[in-house]
Amino acid sequence: MTPRAVPLQEGTSRTFPIREPVDFVVVGSGAAGGVMARELSTAGFDVVVLEQGPYIRPEQFRHDEFAYTFRNELLASATDFPVFFRTRVDEAPSVNSDLPAATYARMVGGSSVHFTANYWRFRPVDFEERTRLGPISGTGFADWPITYDELEPYHTKVEWEVGVSGATGPDDPPRSRPFPHPPLDVKSSGVLLERGARKLGYTPKPAPMAILPEPRPGRSAYQRCGYCMGFGCEYNAKSSTLASMILEAERTGRCEVRADSTVFRVDTDDRGRATQVRYFDGEGTEHAQAARAVILCANGAETPRLLLDSDSSLFPHGLANGSGMVGKYLMFNGNGFVGARFEHPLNGYKSVQVTRICQDWYDSDPRRGFYGGGGIDGRFMGSPIAFALSYLPSDTPRFGTGLKRVLEQYTHHMHVATHSTSLAVESNSVALHPDRKDRFGRRALLVTHLDHDDDLEMVAFLQDRGTEIMEAAGALKTWSQPNRPQHVGFHLLGTCRMVDDPDTSVVDRFHRTHEVPNLFICDGSSFVTSGRGQPTMTIQALAFRAAEHIGRFARNGEI
Ligand SMILES: Cc1cc2nc3c(=O)[nH]c(=O)nc-3n(C[C@H](O)[C@H](O)[C@H](O)COP(=O)(O)OP(=O)(O)OC[C@H]3O[C@@H](n4cnc5c(N)ncnc54)[C@H](O)[C@@H]3O)c2cc1C
């Protein structure tokens, strides 16, 4: 492939003829796919991005809590695309009624559009914890084939190119440049988290957030509207790939983003090389896009599904699945909730969700008696409807004056969210349902997930820290939600893991699949360990790094 480098120019998306091979087809336009599209097209390659969801323009987003948070308008329809769930293989799978077991936004920009935008970096320990701590029985606990030092320049690139605000904390990992933007204004929930944490000797700090405190070209500064988590940003202040990467990719004149295009198969020739991807358009009509190389960025649930669905006589267990590892080692990240009521109104519903965090428990500590690490943030109590339906303390009356009194005090509440490790357990997986189908006749997704006991212990440990911090901050009442196994994953990690050994993984350190030389995978599925939550900064750092290597391979004729 010979790239033709051109400067960025104004213009609209290019349209490529379907039958002619392009340099790269990228499947999925989310956190990773958007970066991949922008990097490869600005490097001079022709790129078609196939995205199953619609192309929603920022001005179309609404501040409609019911539509977005309860009718899940940005997610896939559970009727058209059911996701079955079970905790063990011997359990009958069922479909969750409220949220899909694999929750992500189905649209151009993927989950980077509706996410909360917490942007924690990984630390050195996340890449080499197996070496530091030794094996953990019953898990696939392993080191990454790359180190923090190798990824650090790309973490920095994410911050500068995508747009991240924050300030370096005393316990942060080394960094080559400061944050490009100062922290967002602190809110009451941040002040209280900071006050309680300092009283107890912890080290709270400004939250790194992929939200702009000041404008950038084509993007406004944040408006403190309060609609970040679960919503798209009509100001382009949230640094989704929709706001930050995809327009730039299109402006190169070398990238077409083809929305409403659901890829269902990657075809290979008799040498085992990827030749084209097949997809349905919005009406269900089948098409094929030929390409010299294919990059899957469809997330930790949909990328393994696509590989499993692309089986053939050459690849009888699914494409690139000679190791049998496709879909295995699904990790969600642990998360917990501590509610707190204060004497005065906090008005947490205004502005961004998180302004202060505390990561004093990042490293696993053998004195705790279990594996795990993580951190916490102080944030609003959820939207008013979520507060009423999901977050009330268990002793709140469910009707009458008692309930009314608590609801009237909505603005006096905040919560501490905990974020922590998930161990890689082989039976936690994404697979295909044996007989249930989706709207396009594909076998439905089947998620099997049961938290490792250590992951639940870590959540409980962090909930205790959150409770003591809220009490130290003067909370009138605190409560935590039961620490039970998770039935829904917002972070979809680990299902096509990156390890150099082809017998135990799916991709190598450059995201090339071990078995198909012109097939690459880069999204949450490449993770080997889960980090401590907030994986998207690392997903994008990996994508910047992978795009650089893939571009180099293409220029050198090594694809
Ligand atoms: C409510 C919510 C809040 C979150 N908050 C945070 C946070 O604060 N911080 C953080 O770090 N992370 C957060 N996350 C997680 C974060 O959004 C994801 O980790 C991240 O977006 C994953 O990136 P990805 O590129 O792997 O996949 P995605 O962003 O999910 O992108 C995958 C894209 O591929 C498309 N696709 C899938 N299959 C196909 C197919 N067959 N054909 C064509 N297209 C396909 C999808 O529609 C999607 O657009 C949150 C998630 C949710 C749901």
Side-chain angles (χ1 to χ4, degrees):
M1 287 179 220
T2 318
R4 287 147 293 157
V6 285
L8 288 182
Q9 57 192 21
E10 289 298 323
T12 51
S13 173
R14 167 97 167 264
T15 305
F16 289 97
I18 286 183
R19 288 284 157 203
E20 282 174 29
V22 289
D23 293 331
F24 293 101
V25 161
V26 175
V27 180
S29 63
V35 169
M36 200 62 79
R38 194 266 216 160
E39 289 300 280
L40 290 173
S41 58
T42 53
F45 296 102
D46 289 344
V47 180
V48 169
V49 180
L50 296 172
E51 165 56 52
Q52 62 182 359
Y55 203 144
I56 306 175
R57 307 286 162 176
E59 61 275 14
Q60 294 173 278
F61 292 127
R62 302 174 346 256
H63 289 180
D64 186 337
E65 181 190 345
F66 189 68
Y68 284 14
T69 331
F70 291 91
R71 290 180 49 217
N72 297 328
E73 269 187 22
L74 300 179
L75 312 186
S77 138
T79 320
D80 288 348
F81 302 102
V83 181
F84 286 81
F85 179 81
R86 59 189 179 184
T87 55
R88 301 173 192 281
V89 285
D90 56 2
E91 196 177 280
S94 59
V95 175
N96 287 339
S97 56
D98 42 3
L99 277 172
T103 289
Y104 68 88
R106 182 192 173 88
M107 58 181 295
V108 172
S111 273
S112 73
V113 172
H114 75 158
F115 75 162
T116 318
N118 294 287
Y119 253 41
W120 298 8
R121 280 181 178 221
F122 265 33
R123 294 186 181 184
V125 66
D126 289 303
F127 299 90
E128 55 192 38
E129 216 169 11
R130 164 72 172 76
T131 296
R132 291 196 196 182
L133 299 178
I136 298 179
S137 123
T139 75
F141 194 39
D143 286 343
W144 291 59
I146 57 175
T147 61
Y148 176 80
D149 287 347
E150 270 174 274
L151 203 59
E152 194 286 330
Y154 303 97
H155 275 313
T156 295
K157 202 163 182 179
V158 175
E159 288 170 355
W160 283 80
E161 309 255 330
V162 169
V164 180
S165 55
T168 312
D171 55 349
D172 280 6
R175 51 167 54 246
S176 47
R177 284 179 88 179
F179 283 91
H181 299 288
L184 305 173
D185 293 342
V186 68
K187 298 191 353 173
S188 310
S189 53
V191 170
L192 291 168
L193 184 92
E194 193 163 341
R195 184 180 298 161
R198 285 212 193 285
K199 268 194 192 161
L200 297 173
Y202 299 127
T203 44
K205 57 191 175 184
M209 299 295 287
I211 295 177
L212 299 182
E214 51 210 359
R216 283 185 166 213
R219 301 176 57 190
S220 304
Y222 75 135
Q223 305 294 308
R224 302 169 178 81
C225 69
Y227 290 87
C228 301
M229 189 173 82
F231 296 85
C233 180
E234 67 271 35
Y235 309 108
N236 280 338
K238 198 201 290 187
S239 301
S240 66
T241 51
L242 182 66
S244 65
M245 295 279 116
I246 286 165
L247 283 180
E248 290 189 13
E250 289 178 327
R251 281 190 196 123
T252 63
R254 294 222 149 81
C255 177
E256 175 184 353
V257 178
R258 211 174 286 161
D260 298 310
S261 302
T262 304
V263 177
F264 64 92
R265 187 176 174 83
V266 180
D267 285 334
T268 48
D269 61 16
D270 51 12
R271 291 181 303 151
R273 288 179 61 83
T275 52
Q276 61 175 13
V277 299
R278 286 202 256 154
Y279 66 96
F280 296 111
D281 66 19
E283 271 70 56
T285 307
E286 193 179 321
H287 305 273
Q289 174 66 56
R292 295 182 187 89
V294 174
I295 307 176
L296 302 183
C297 301
N299 77 37
E302 297 292 349
T303 288
R305 173 217 281 241
L306 199 42
L307 294 172
L308 295 172
D309 257 340
S310 302
D311 55 341
S312 63
S313 54
L314 260 185
F315 300 100
H317 306 294
L319 193 57
N321 193 24
S323 65
M325 289 299 144
V326 168
K328 305 260 175 81
Y329 295 123
L330 174 66
M331 299 175 286
F332 281 170
N333 280 132
N335 57 72
F337 167 101
V338 178
R341 183 183 306 152
F342 287 86
E343 184 186 354
H344 300 290
L346 310 179
N347 296 327
Y349 62 90
K350 294 182 179 175
S351 195
V352 298
Q353 264 72 86
V354 177
T355 56
R356 288 291 180 275
I357 63 170
C358 202
Q359 295 178 313
D360 289 69
W361 318 276
Y362 201 93
D363 283 2
S364 192
D365 183 344
R367 287 170 302 182
R368 290 182 204 138
F370 51 86
Y371 161 81
I376 63 174
D377 67 55
R379 59 172 77 186
F380 80 140
M381 176 41 88
S383 60
I385 307 178
F387 175 57
L389 294 181
S390 311
Y391 295 133
L392 294 173
S394 57
D395 57 0
T396 308
R398 295 294 138 171
F399 58 87
T401 322
L403 172 63
K404 215 171 146 194
R405 246 185 233 128
V406 175
L407 294 183
E408 280 168 356
Q409 291 221 312
Y410 165 68
T411 57
H412 292 243
H413 291 84
M414 63 171 281
H415 88 266
V416 169
T418 77
H419 312 278
S420 49
T421 37
S422 278
L423 279 162
V425 176
E426 192 171 338
S427 53
N428 288 342
S429 63
V430 170
L432 304 178
H433 196 288
D435 41 56
R436 301 298 287 270
K437 302 272 166 64
D438 72 7
R439 179 186 146 199
F440 293 125
R442 298 180 302 172
R443 284 170 289 175
L445 272 178
L446 172 56
V447 172
T448 306
H449 187 273
L450 183 63
D451 303 73
H452 191 280
D453 286 346
D454 287 16
D455 300 341
L456 295 176
E457 297 249 36
M458 189 63 212
V459 174
F461 172 85
L462 288 174
Q463 288 190 156
D464 289 347
R465 302 292 76 73
T467 304
E468 67 187 25
I469 287 173
M470 287 294 91
E471 284 169 357
L476 301 177
K477 179 181 179 74
T478 60
W479 70 100
S480 52
Q481 296 216 330
N483 179 20
R484 56 174 179 255
Q486 304 178 77
H487 291 200
V488 173
F490 294 95
H491 300 172
L492 305 166
L493 309 172
T495 47
C496 295
R497 53 171 28 195
M498 173 210 281
V499 179
D500 281 336
D501 175 5
D503 292 336
T504 59
S505 66
V506 181
V507 295
D508 68 13
R509 62 179 64 207
F510 301 116
H511 298 261
R512 196 196 295 254
T513 58
H514 292 301
E515 290 167 79
V516 183
N518 63 341
L519 176 66
F520 297 84
I521 295 173
C522 185
D523 53 25
S525 71
S526 309
F527 278 39
V528 184
T529 56
S530 70
R532 273 62 181 163
Q534 325 306 3
T536 312
M537 152 59 95
T538 301
I539 291 173
Q540 293 197 312
L542 291 172
F544 273 109
R545 177 179 173 274
E548 198 174 293
H549 287 295
I550 293 169
R552 179 170 53 81
F553 293 143
R555 274 189 292 275
N556 295 344
E558 294 167 358
I559 292 184

Coordinates of all heavy atoms in Angstrom, one line a residue, residues 267-314:
D267 N -14.7 -12.2 5.3 CA -14.4 -13.3 4.3 C -12.9 -13.4 4.2 O -12.2 -12.4 4.2 CB -15.1 -13.1 3.0 CG -16.6 -13.3 3.0 OD1 -17.0 -14.1 3.8 OD2 -17.3 -12.7 2.2
T268 N -12.5 -14.7 3.9 CA -11.0 -14.9 3.7 C -10.9 -15.7 2.4 O -11.8 -16.4 2.0 CB -10.4 -15.7 4.8 OG1 -11.2 -16.8 5.1 CG2 -10.2 -14.8 6.1
D269 N -9.7 -15.6 1.8 CA -9.4 -16.4 0.6 C -8.8 -17.8 1.0 O -8.6 -18.0 2.2 CB -8.6 -15.6 -0.4 CG -7.2 -15.3 0.2 OD1 -6.8 -15.8 1.2 OD2 -6.5 -14.4 -0.4
D270 N -8.4 -18.6 0.0 CA -7.9 -19.9 0.4 C -6.5 -19.8 1.0 O -6.0 -20.8 1.5 CB -8.0 -20.9 -0.8 CG -7.3 -20.3 -2.1 OD1 -6.6 -19.2 -1.9 OD2 -7.5 -20.8 -3.1
R271 N -5.9 -18.6 1.0 CA -4.6 -18.5 1.7 C -4.8 -18.0 3.2 O -3.9 -17.8 3.9 CB -3.7 -17.5 1.0 CG -3.2 -18.0 -0.3 CD -2.3 -16.9 -0.9 NE -3.0 -15.6 -1.1 CZ -2.4 -14.4 -1.1 NH1 -1.1 -14.3 -0.8 NH2 -3.1 -13.3 -1.2
G272 N -6.1 -17.8 3.5 CA -6.4 -17.4 4.9 C -6.2 -15.9 5.1 O -6.1 -15.5 6.2
R273 N -6.3 -15.1 4.0 CA -6.2 -13.7 4.1 C -7.6 -13.0 4.0 O -8.4 -13.5 3.2 CB -5.3 -13.1 3.0 CG -3.8 -13.4 3.2 CD -3.0 -12.8 2.1 NE -3.1 -11.3 2.0 CZ -2.4 -10.5 2.7 NH1 -1.5 -11.0 3.6 NH2 -2.6 -9.2 2.6
A274 N -7.8 -12.0 4.8 CA -9.1 -11.3 4.8 C -9.2 -10.6 3.4 O -8.3 -10.0 3.0 CB -9.2 -10.3 5.9
T275 N -10.4 -10.7 2.8 CA -10.6 -10.1 1.5 C -11.7 -9.1 1.5 O -11.6 -8.1 0.8 CB -11.0 -11.2 0.4 OG1 -12.1 -11.9 1.0 CG2 -9.8 -12.1 0.1
Q276 N -12.7 -9.3 2.2 CA -13.8 -8.4 2.3 C -14.6 -8.6 3.5 O -14.5 -9.6 4.2 CB -14.7 -8.5 1.1 CG -15.4 -9.9 1.0 CD -16.4 -10.1 -0.1 OE1 -16.5 -9.2 -1.0 NE2 -17.2 -11.1 -0.1
V277 N -15.4 -7.6 3.9 CA -16.4 -7.8 5.0 C -17.8 -7.7 4.4 O -18.0 -6.9 3.4 CB -16.2 -6.8 6.1 CG1 -14.9 -6.9 6.7 CG2 -16.5 -5.3 5.7
R278 N -18.7 -8.5 4.9 CA -20.1 -8.4 4.4 C -20.9 -7.8 5.5 O -20.7 -8.0 6.7 CB -20.6 -9.9 4.2 CG -19.9 -10.4 2.9 CD -20.7 -11.5 2.3 NE -20.1 -12.8 2.6 CZ -20.7 -13.9 2.6 NH1 -22.0 -14.0 2.5 NH2 -20.0 -15.0 2.9
Y279 N -21.9 -7.0 5.0 CA -22.7 -6.2 6.0 C -24.1 -6.0 5.5 O -24.4 -6.1 4.3 CB -22.0 -4.9 6.3 CG -22.0 -3.9 5.2 CD1 -22.9 -2.9 5.0 CD2 -20.9 -3.9 4.3 CE1 -22.8 -2.0 4.0 CE2 -20.8 -3.0 3.2 CZ -21.8 -2.0 3.1 OH -21.7 -1.1 2.1
F280 N -25.0 -5.7 6.4 CA -26.4 -5.4 6.1 C -26.5 -3.9 6.2 O -26.0 -3.3 7.1 CB -27.4 -6.0 7.0 CG -27.4 -7.5 7.0 CD1 -26.9 -8.2 8.1 CD2 -27.9 -8.2 5.9 CE1 -27.0 -9.6 8.1 CE2 -28.0 -9.6 5.9 CZ -27.5 -10.3 7.0
D281 N -27.2 -3.3 5.2 CA -27.6 -1.8 5.4 C -28.8 -1.7 6.3 O -29.3 -2.7 6.8 CB -27.7 -1.1 4.1 CG -28.9 -1.6 3.2 OD1 -29.8 -2.2 3.8 OD2 -28.9 -1.4 2.0
G282 N -29.3 -0.5 6.5 CA -30.4 -0.3 7.4 C -31.7 -1.0 7.0 O -32.5 -1.3 7.9
E283 N -31.8 -1.3 5.7 CA -33.0 -2.1 5.3 C -32.8 -3.6 5.3 O -33.7 -4.3 4.9 CB -33.4 -1.7 3.8 CG -34.3 -0.4 3.7 CD -33.6 0.8 4.1 OE1 -32.5 1.1 3.5 OE2 -34.1 1.5 5.0
G284 N -31.6 -4.0 5.7 CA -31.4 -5.4 5.7 C -30.8 -6.0 4.4 O -30.7 -7.2 4.3
T285 N -30.5 -5.1 3.5 CA -29.9 -5.6 2.2 C -28.4 -5.9 2.4 O -27.7 -5.1 3.0 CB -30.1 -4.5 1.1 OG1 -31.5 -4.2 1.1 CG2 -29.6 -5.0 -0.2
E286 N -28.0 -7.0 1.8 CA -26.6 -7.4 2.0 C -25.7 -6.7 1.0 O -26.0 -6.6 -0.1 CB -26.5 -8.9 1.9 CG -25.3 -9.5 2.3 CD -25.2 -11.0 2.2 OE1 -26.2 -11.7 2.4 OE2 -24.1 -11.5 1.8
H287 N -24.5 -6.3 1.5 CA -23.4 -5.7 0.7 C -22.1 -6.3 1.1 O -22.0 -7.0 2.2 CB -23.3 -4.2 0.9 CG -24.6 -3.5 0.6 ND1 -25.0 -3.0 -0.6 CD2 -25.6 -3.1 1.5 CE1 -26.2 -2.4 -0.5 NE2 -26.6 -2.5 0.8
A288 N -21.1 -6.1 0.3 CA -19.7 -6.5 0.7 C -18.8 -5.3 0.4 O -18.9 -4.7 -0.7 CB -19.3 -7.7 -0.1
Q289 N -17.8 -5.1 1.2 CA -16.8 -4.1 1.0 C -15.4 -4.8 1.0 O -15.0 -5.4 1.9 CB -16.8 -3.0 2.1 CG -15.6 -2.0 2.0 CD -15.7 -1.1 0.7 OE1 -16.8 -0.4 0.5 NE2 -14.7 -1.1 -0.1
A290 N -14.8 -4.7 -0.2 CA -13.5 -5.3 -0.3 C -12.4 -4.4 0.3 O -12.5 -3.2 0.3 CB -13.1 -5.5 -1.8
A291 N -11.3 -5.0 0.8 CA -10.3 -4.2 1.5 C -9.0 -5.0 1.5 O -8.9 -6.2 1.4 CB -10.7 -3.9 2.9
R292 N -7.9 -4.2 1.5 CA -6.5 -4.9 1.6 C -6.3 -5.3 3.0 O -5.5 -6.2 3.2 CB -5.5 -3.9 1.1 CG -5.6 -3.6 -0.4 CD -4.6 -2.6 -0.9 NE -4.9 -2.3 -2.3 CZ -5.7 -1.2 -2.6 NH1 -6.1 -0.4 -1.6 NH2 -6.1 -1.0 -3.8
A293 N -6.9 -4.7 4.0 CA -6.7 -5.1 5.4 C -8.0 -4.7 6.1 O -8.6 -3.7 5.8 CB -5.5 -4.5 6.0
V294 N -8.3 -5.5 7.2 CA -9.5 -5.2 8.0 C -9.1 -5.0 9.4 O -8.2 -5.7 9.9 CB -10.4 -6.5 7.9 CG1 -11.6 -6.3 8.8 CG2 -10.9 -6.7 6.4
I295 N -9.7 -4.0 10.0 CA -9.4 -3.7 11.4 C -10.7 -3.7 12.2 O -11.6 -2.9 11.9 CB -8.7 -2.3 11.6 CG1 -7.5 -2.2 10.7 CG2 -8.3 -2.0 13.0 CD1 -6.9 -0.8 10.7
L296 N -10.8 -4.6 13.2 CA -12.0 -4.7 14.0 C -11.9 -3.8 15.2 O -11.0 -4.0 16.0 CB -12.3 -6.1 14.4 CG -12.4 -7.2 13.2 CD1 -12.7 -8.6 13.8 CD2 -13.4 -6.7 12.2
C297 N -12.9 -2.9 15.3 CA -12.9 -2.0 16.5 C -14.3 -2.0 17.0 O -14.9 -0.9 17.3 CB -12.5 -0.6 16.1 SG -10.8 -0.4 15.4
A298 N -15.0 -3.1 17.1 CA -16.4 -3.2 17.3 C -16.8 -3.4 18.8 O -17.9 -3.5 19.1 CB -17.0 -4.3 16.5
N299 N -15.8 -3.4 19.7 CA -15.8 -3.5 21.1 C -15.7 -4.9 21.7 O -15.8 -5.9 20.9 CB -17.0 -2.7 21.8 CG -18.3 -3.4 21.7 OD1 -18.5 -4.6 21.8 ND2 -19.4 -2.5 21.6
G300 N -15.6 -5.0 23.0 CA -15.3 -6.3 23.6 C -16.4 -7.4 23.5 O -16.2 -8.5 23.8
A301 N -17.6 -7.0 23.1 CA -18.6 -7.9 22.9 C -18.8 -8.3 21.4 O -18.9 -9.4 21.0 CB -20.0 -7.4 23.4
E302 N -18.8 -7.2 20.5 CA -19.1 -7.4 19.1 C -18.0 -7.9 18.3 O -18.1 -8.6 17.3 CB -19.7 -6.1 18.5 CG -21.0 -5.7 19.2 CD -22.2 -6.6 18.9 OE1 -22.1 -7.5 18.1 OE2 -23.2 -6.4 19.6
T303 N -16.7 -7.6 18.7 CA -15.6 -8.1 17.9 C -15.5 -9.6 18.0 O -15.4 -10.3 17.0 CB -14.3 -7.4 18.4 OG1 -14.3 -6.0 17.9 CG2 -13.0 -8.0 17.8
P304 N -15.6 -10.2 19.2 CA -15.5 -11.6 19.3 C -16.7 -12.3 18.6 O -16.6 -13.3 17.9 CB -15.5 -12.0 20.8 CG -15.9 -10.7 21.5 CD -15.5 -9.6 20.6
R305 N -17.9 -11.6 18.6 CA -19.0 -12.2 17.9 C -18.8 -12.3 16.4 O -19.0 -13.3 15.8 CB -20.3 -11.3 18.1 CG -21.5 -11.8 17.3 CD -22.3 -10.7 16.8 NE -23.1 -10.1 17.8 CZ -24.5 -10.1 17.7 NH1 -25.1 -10.6 16.6 NH2 -25.2 -9.6 18.6
L306 N -18.2 -11.2 15.9 CA -17.9 -11.2 14.5 C -16.9 -12.3 14.1 O -17.0 -13.0 13.0 CB -17.3 -9.8 14.1 CG -17.3 -9.3 12.7 CD1 -18.6 -9.6 12.0 CD2 -17.1 -7.8 12.8
L307 N -15.9 -12.5 14.9 CA -14.9 -13.6 14.6 C -15.6 -14.9 14.7 O -15.3 -15.8 13.8 CB -13.7 -13.5 15.6 CG -12.9 -12.2 15.5 CD1 -11.9 -12.2 16.7 CD2 -12.1 -12.2 14.2
L308 N -16.4 -15.1 15.7 CA -17.0 -16.5 15.8 C -18.0 -16.7 14.7 O -18.1 -17.8 14.2 CB -17.8 -16.5 17.2 CG -16.9 -16.5 18.4 CD1 -17.7 -16.4 19.7 CD2 -15.9 -17.7 18.5
D309 N -18.6 -15.6 14.2 CA -19.6 -15.8 13.1 C -18.8 -15.9 11.7 O -19.5 -16.2 10.7 CB -20.4 -14.5 13.0 CG -21.8 -14.8 13.6 OD1 -22.2 -16.0 13.7 OD2 -22.5 -13.8 14.0
S310 N -17.5 -15.7 11.7 CA -16.8 -15.8 10.4 C -16.0 -17.1 10.3 O -15.0 -17.2 9.7 CB -15.8 -14.6 10.4 OG -16.4 -13.4 10.5
D311 N -16.6 -18.1 10.8 CA -16.0 -19.5 10.7 C -16.0 -20.0 9.3 O -16.9 -19.5 8.5 CB -16.6 -20.5 11.7 CG -18.1 -20.6 11.5 OD1 -18.7 -19.6 10.9 OD2 -18.7 -21.5 12.0
S312 N -15.2 -20.9 9.0 CA -15.1 -21.4 7.6 C -14.3 -22.7 7.7 O -13.8 -23.1 8.8 CB -14.3 -20.5 6.7 OG -13.0 -20.3 7.2
S313 N -14.1 -23.4 6.6 CA -13.4 -24.7 6.7 C -11.9 -24.4 7.1 O -11.3 -25.2 7.8 CB -13.4 -25.4 5.3 OG -13.0 -24.5 4.3
L314 N -11.4 -23.3 6.7 CA -10.0 -23.0 7.2 C -10.0 -22.6 8.7 O -9.0 -22.8 9.3 CB -9.4 -21.8 6.4 CG -8.5 -22.0 5.2 CD1 -8.0 -20.7 4.7 CD2 -7.3 -22.9 5.6

